[in-house]
């Protein structure tokens, strides 16, 4: 059930259970770890076909529902960062204010926080559209200069968790099996292609290929 409704959470649960069983086996409490390791090929195939709402009417409905939902400021901000930038949710929830240049309108994500961690690629620089830039400036003013994370948790000094934003999509928006925070990458790619944008520029924005001099325009 967890794999069907929340594949990312299922991965975390499997990892935690395997760690517990590994410890038990090391201590001689059980003969072997009974939980099989995840097969890379199967996981890749699942991620390749993640559901996404890409039609204009459907996207509009999701945005309107999210706009009126009662959620924490951290979850709302993470949702809007996903919508406007199409970055991976793991990179979004950990976004720090010192990564944003609110004058130049750019978000520079350190390579160590990216899925692709090869240092030669350098930081992933994401241009911020005007509407999002306006919101970011408002959020930063509201948080104050001492704030660290752009999507703060309701309690404590850290950021919201990945599960918090994913749960918002599953439960509040009721989008299980239809659309997830990660799905905005598919929306961005689909709409970019439909608008005739350079394919390499679209993929570069998603950090899937080396960034070239081509701009999205």
């Amino acid at each position: 059930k967890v794999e069907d409704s929340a594949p990312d959470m299922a991965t975390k649960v499997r990892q935690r259970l395997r760690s517990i069983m590994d410890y038990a086996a090391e201590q001689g409490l059980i003969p072997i770890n009974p939980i099989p390791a995840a097969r890379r090929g199967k996981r890749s195939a699942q991620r390749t076909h993640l559901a996404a709402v890409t039609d204009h009417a459907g996207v509009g409905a999701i945005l309107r529902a999210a706009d009126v939902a009662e959620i924490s400021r951290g979850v709302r901000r993470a949702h809007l960062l996903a919508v406007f930038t199409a970055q991976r949710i793991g990179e979004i929830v950990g976004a720090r204010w010192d990564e944003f240049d609110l004058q130049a309108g750019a978000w520079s994500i350190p390579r160590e926080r990216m899925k692709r961690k090869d240092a030669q690629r350098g930081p992933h620089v994401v241009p911020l559209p005007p509407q999002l830039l306006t919101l970011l400036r408002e959020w930063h003013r509201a948080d104050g200069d001492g704030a660290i994370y752009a999507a703060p948790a309701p309690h404590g000094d850290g950021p919201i968790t990945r599960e918090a934003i994913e749960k918002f999509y599953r439960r509040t928006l009721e989008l299980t099996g239809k659309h997830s925070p990660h799905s905005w990458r598919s929306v961005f790619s689909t709409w970019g292609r439909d608008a005739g944008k350079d394919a390499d520029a679209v993929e570069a924005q998603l950090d899937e290929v080396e960034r070239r001099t081509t701009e999205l325009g």
Side-chain angles (χ1 to χ4, degrees), residues 183-197:
S183 299
W184 295 111
R185 295 172 64 80
S186 295
V187 176
F188 180 87
S189 179
T190 299
W191 288 15
R193 290 196 307 269
D194 290 348
K197 302 300 181 182

Side-chain angles (χ1 to χ4, degrees), residues 96-175:
R96 299 169 59 97
W97 280 120
D98 58 12
E99 296 171 1
F100 292 93
D101 186 335
L102 299 182
Q103 296 300 317
W107 176 19
S108 183
I109 310 175
R111 183 50 54 182
E112 59 268 21
R113 287 212 312 105
M114 299 294 294
K115 178 179 179 181
R116 298 173 178 268
K117 301 186 184 301
D118 35 328
Q120 67 270 22
R121 294 169 72 93
H124 182 50
V125 181
V126 182
L128 301 172
Q131 187 174 349
L132 177 61
L133 183 57
T134 297
L135 289 172
L136 283 163
R137 288 169 176 166
E138 293 175 356
W139 299 343
H140 190 246
R141 282 196 298 270
D143 288 356
D145 293 335
I148 298 175
Y149 295 101
H155 307 289
D157 300 325
I160 66 164
T161 64
R162 179 173 182 155
E163 174 61 11
I165 179 67
E166 291 172 345
K167 185 183 295 184
F168 168 56
Y169 275 67
R170 293 196 310 270
R171 297 186 180 180
T172 305
L173 299 181
E174 300 180 341
L175 291 172

Side-chain angles (χ1 to χ4, degrees), residues 39 78 88 110 181 193 213:
R39 289 180 292 175
R88 299 177 183 90
R193 290 196 307 269
T213 56

